[in-house]
Amino acid sequence: MAPGGADARWLDAALALAMRGQGRTWPNPNVGCVIVKDGCVIGRGWTRPGGRPHAEAVALMQAGEAARGATAYVTLEPCAHDSARGPACADLLAAAGVARVVSALTDPDPRTAGRGHDRLRAAGIAVDVCAAEAGGAAGARRAMAGWLTRQQHGRPRVTLKLGLSLDGCIALANGESRWITGPEARAHAHLERSRHEAILVGRGTWDADRPRLDVRLPGLERFAPARIVMSARGAVDRLGPDDRVIAAPDAIAGLPCDNLLVEGGAGTAAAFLAADLVDRLVIYRAPLLIGGGRGAVGGFGLADLAAAHGRWALQDTRMLGTDRLDIYERRR
Amino acid sequence: MAPGGADARWLDAALALAMRGQGRTWPNPNVGCVIVKDGCVIGRGWTRPGGRPHAEAVALMQAGEAARGATAYVTLEPCAHDSARGPACADLLAAAGVARVVSALTDPDPRTAGRGHDRLRAAGIAVDVCAAEAGGAAGARRAMAGWLTRQQHGRPRVTLKLGLSLDGCIALANGESRWITGPEARAHAHLERSRHEAILVGRGTWDADRPRLDVRLPGLERFAPARIVMSARGAVDRLGPDDRVIAAPDAIAGLPCDNLLVEGGAGTAAAFLAADLVDRLVIYRAPLLIGGGRGAVGGFGLADLAAAHGRWALQDTRMLGTDRLDIYERRR
């Protein structure tokens, strides 16, 4: 690694690009790539919606001939397998004459799994891979968490979103729920939707609220997730041609997504928690009290309080208008 | 006021001293006083437990002869009424030869109400009183909020304390509630108790939990609040000689306190909210989910969500271990 933390800073830039693809690159990982020469960025890329072209290909196209002798920073080991959709990125980097590759993570995909780095080295390229405990590796695990969850557990990463009052209600006793959170929080919730390939609600929410589950943010409308309804009983009304129905949380493994957003209601949240299938909590909390309203999460079989502790780590917190956003990640 | 903000800084020091008396000076206000000469503090005082001696008397005793020609900073207009428990502070300041008094607030008590400042001026002392919108006045209103609530509304200031899970539960469905919050949050809750003259729980909590409601912090044990049980029905068991029973929230006006802490349960919280008698919320929130547990606040007659908005302003927020403390004040 270069002295003075320059490598870490360029890798951070690649990670920021990677995050632009979150929830949009299925079935491929949302990689980011920055190509640097003489201290200047000459190419930037992130995997495009649908998974092609890969980040490295985009960045190399920008860099052109200048890539010769440059350093490429990538958030994941470049792929080593040719595909009908394009050549292997390791070969592209070698052909462009890149002198060095700094990589945040070794690819857990058995089709690559170190062979991308090997192929680069065989082409005479210097390869540095972050140590597993390094900041770049941790950042890459976070930026590509959905894809990595799929690799590791064979299912999408699940985010449970809750919009609550101070006393933990999602609606009045009569069902009124519009609106608890303010416009800033609701806009952020739409941004979260745009970072997930699919969004799931329970049958009760589907029938009661007729939710659109789309992304109402200028420029992001096209990243609206696919809609999934969880229903253990009978046919579901008003399904669109792209909507899908699953019967239980464990059926998420078969969904074509790496990032699944669960938006409720309380029974659906409880079913995912009972199945231990929630990886991340996104909680918007408005400064109001409801009193005797509908709780956010139904019973999921918690036996005692001791078992509830230590499961969630605060990852981010901020104010959105007068509401607070807290993001927790499950401790592994 | 002096240039360079020196007055504001000394007044802040007096406010910090005033807060040491919160919940301990009934029926007197918890005043703070700093006496300054040639840029040095020569006397510091805050009203002592039980209300005497007053802050000014304590600070003047420290300053002794040096008070001649000094400036006294006080969080409330010095009293102008003699009492069997001591002379008027305005007279004490004049007798000590103080040259100037900077006062954060005019006393709303009709026995003083400007006459303290008048008596100082008549003795040849320069008197500066903060403008109502100034930081010093706002700080004084906060530091002495309980006493001011009693002056203005004829009842104590009410703080509702809630210790919650992320999903707003105060217990499992089976009643288990120990512990949701961690040791840092529980210690802070005991500190809050020490700043209230009285602590109230509902009959259900009293019978189920047999709460001690004491202050388990080294050195603060003697500031344990009086215990009040709210019960609309029949006799209450296990009352101590100093414990009191009230039938409904509006009976708090008759309690010998300016700062009342309401600790639950859900029905009691709802009764105080329904009566619009909650001035402050202290919420400890632990990073865990319970699911289908006992809600923190029972129904209090909220008609629609619009009516719930805009009532609470975040006043303080911080982490206590892995729990978050949020303090809200009612908007007036």
Side-chain angles (χ1 to χ4, degrees):
Chain A
M1 292 281 170
D7 279 346
R9 290 199 300 277
W10 292 126
L11 207 48
D12 278 349
L15 286 165
L17 295 178
M19 286 188 265
R20 298 189 184 194
Q22 278 182 332
R24 298 167 193 173
T25 60
W26 190 87
N28 286 344
N30 56 307
V31 175
C33 175
V34 173
I35 301 178
V36 177
K37 193 173 176 180
D38 300 331
C40 293
V41 173
I42 58 172
R44 297 156 71 247
W46 60 97
T47 307
R48 291 305 155 100
R52 290 278 177 174
H54 285 183
E56 298 92 325
V58 176
L60 284 170
M61 199 173 310
Q62 281 187 10
E65 276 302 310
R68 198 156 301 277
T71 297
Y73 295 86
V74 292
T75 63
L76 183 69
E77 176 178 13
C79 64
H81 53 280
D82 289 312
S83 140
R85 300 174 71 197
C89 288
D91 295 337
L92 283 178
L93 288 159
V98 165
R100 180 171 173 248
V101 169
V102 177
S103 176
L105 279 186
T106 298
D107 189 341
D109 184 333
R111 294 176 298 176
T112 306
R115 290 196 288 137
H117 292 150
D118 290 345
R119 197 180 293 198
L120 293 169
R121 288 191 183 100
I125 297 174
V127 176
D128 288 312
V129 183
C130 285
E133 68 280 10
R141 283 191 294 269
R142 178 158 293 160
M144 303 181 290
W147 183 79
L148 289 165
T149 300
R150 169 71 72 181
Q151 303 303 308
Q152 192 174 352
H153 301 291
R155 60 162 179 88
R157 182 178 195 231
V158 177
T159 294
L160 173 62
K161 175 216 139 182
L162 301 170
L164 304 177
S165 64
L166 293 177
D167 51 334
C169 298
I170 56 172
L172 269 61
N174 67 13
E176 184 187 355
S177 63
R178 290 184 184 164
W179 296 104
I180 291 175
T181 54
E184 297 89 346
R186 298 206 301 277
H188 190 278
H190 280 249
L191 184 64
E192 277 288 329
R193 283 182 180 175
S194 78
R195 294 171 175 162
H196 290 77
E197 295 96 350
I199 184 170
L200 183 147
V201 296
R203 171 71 176 273
T205 299
W206 181 263
D207 288 347
D209 295 352
R210 301 178 172 249
R212 289 156 58 185
L213 305 180
D214 52 0
V215 175
R216 274 159 270 169
L217 293 173
L220 294 178
E221 297 89 342
R222 69 196 167 105
F223 296 120
R227 305 192 302 179
I228 318 290
V229 182
M230 189 166 80
S231 172
R233 50 190 162 89
V236 175
D237 290 336
R238 294 177 299 106
L239 286 176
D242 297 328
D243 301 332
R244 295 184 59 160
V245 178
I246 65 170
D250 58 12
I252 62 171
L255 294 175
C257 68
D258 289 342
N259 299 275
L260 176 66
L261 184 63
V262 174
E263 287 212 4
T268 301
F272 274 84
L273 288 162
D276 199 16
L277 283 175
V278 178
D279 301 294
R280 180 170 173 260
L281 300 172
V282 172
I283 302 177
Y284 305 95
R285 200 180 309 276
L288 55 90
L289 293 168
I290 288 180
R294 297 193 181 176
V297 181
F300 56 87
L302 183 67
D304 58 66
L305 273 172
H309 282 277
R311 299 178 70 87
W312 300 102
L314 188 64
Q315 186 246 315
D316 193 13
T317 180
R318 72 182 87 160
M319 298 302 291
L320 297 168
T322 59
D323 301 337
R324 175 177 290 284
L325 166 65
D326 283 324
I327 298 179
Y328 293 88
E329 289 183 352
R330 187 229 299 255
R331 291 183 198 274
R332 293 271 167 207
Chain B
M1 293 282 171
D7 279 348
R9 290 201 298 277
W10 293 126
L11 208 48
D12 278 349
L15 286 165
L17 294 179
M19 285 188 268
R20 298 190 185 195
Q22 278 182 333
R24 299 168 193 173
T25 61
W26 189 88
N28 287 343
N30 55 306
V31 175
C33 175
V34 172
I35 301 178
V36 176
K37 193 172 177 182
D38 300 331
C40 292
V41 173
I42 58 172
R44 298 156 70 249
W46 60 97
T47 306
R48 291 303 154 103
R52 290 279 176 172
H54 285 184
E56 299 94 323
V58 176
L60 284 170
M61 198 174 310
Q62 281 187 9
E65 277 304 307
R68 199 157 299 279
T71 297
Y73 295 85
V74 291
T75 63
L76 183 69
E77 178 178 10
C79 64
H81 53 280
D82 290 314
S83 137
R85 299 175 74 197
C89 289
D91 295 337
L92 283 178
L93 289 160
V98 165
R100 180 170 172 248
V101 169
V102 177
S103 176
L105 280 185
T106 298
D107 189 340
D109 184 334
R111 293 176 298 176
T112 305
R115 289 196 289 140
H117 291 150
D118 289 347
R119 197 181 290 198
L120 293 169
R121 289 193 183 98
I125 297 174
V127 177
D128 287 312
V129 183
C130 285
E133 68 279 10
R141 283 192 294 270
R142 178 158 293 159
M144 302 181 293
W147 183 78
L148 289 165
T149 300
R150 170 70 73 181
Q151 303 302 308
Q152 192 175 354
H153 301 293
R155 61 162 179 87
R157 183 178 195 232
V158 176
T159 293
L160 173 62
K161 176 216 139 180
L162 301 171
L164 304 177
S165 64
L166 292 177
D167 51 335
C169 297
I170 56 172
L172 267 60
N174 67 12
E176 184 188 353
S177 64
R178 290 180 185 170
W179 296 104
I180 291 175
T181 54
E184 297 89 346
R186 298 205 302 276
H188 190 278
H190 280 249
L191 184 65
E192 277 288 328
R193 284 183 179 174
S194 78
R195 293 170 175 162
H196 290 77
E197 295 96 350
I199 185 170
L200 182 147
V201 296
R203 170 72 177 271
T205 299
W206 181 264
D207 288 346
D209 294 353
R210 303 179 172 246
R212 290 156 57 184
L213 305 180
D214 53 1
V215 175
R216 274 159 271 168
L217 293 174
L220 294 178
E221 297 89 343
R222 68 199 169 105
F223 296 119
R227 304 191 303 178
I228 320 288
V229 183
M230 189 166 81
S231 171
R233 50 191 162 89
V236 175
D237 291 335
R238 295 177 297 107
L239 286 176
D242 297 329
D243 300 332
R244 296 184 56 159
V245 178
I246 64 171
D250 58 10
I252 62 172
L255 295 175
C257 69
D258 288 343
N259 299 274
L260 176 67
L261 183 63
V262 174
E263 286 212 5
T268 301
F272 274 84
L273 289 162
D276 198 17
L277 282 175
V278 178
D279 302 295
R280 181 169 173 261
L281 300 172
V282 171
I283 302 177
Y284 304 95
R285 200 181 309 276
L288 55 90
L289 292 168
I290 288 180
R294 296 192 181 176
V297 181
F300 56 87
L302 183 68
D304 58 66
L305 273 172
H309 282 277
R311 299 178 70 87
W312 300 102
L314 188 65
Q315 187 245 315
D316 193 12
T317 182
R318 73 181 85 158
M319 298 301 292
L320 296 168
T322 60
D323 301 336
R324 175 176 289 283
L325 166 64
D326 284 324
I327 298 179
Y328 293 88
E329 289 183 351
R330 187 228 298 258
R331 292 184 196 272
R332 293 273 167 205

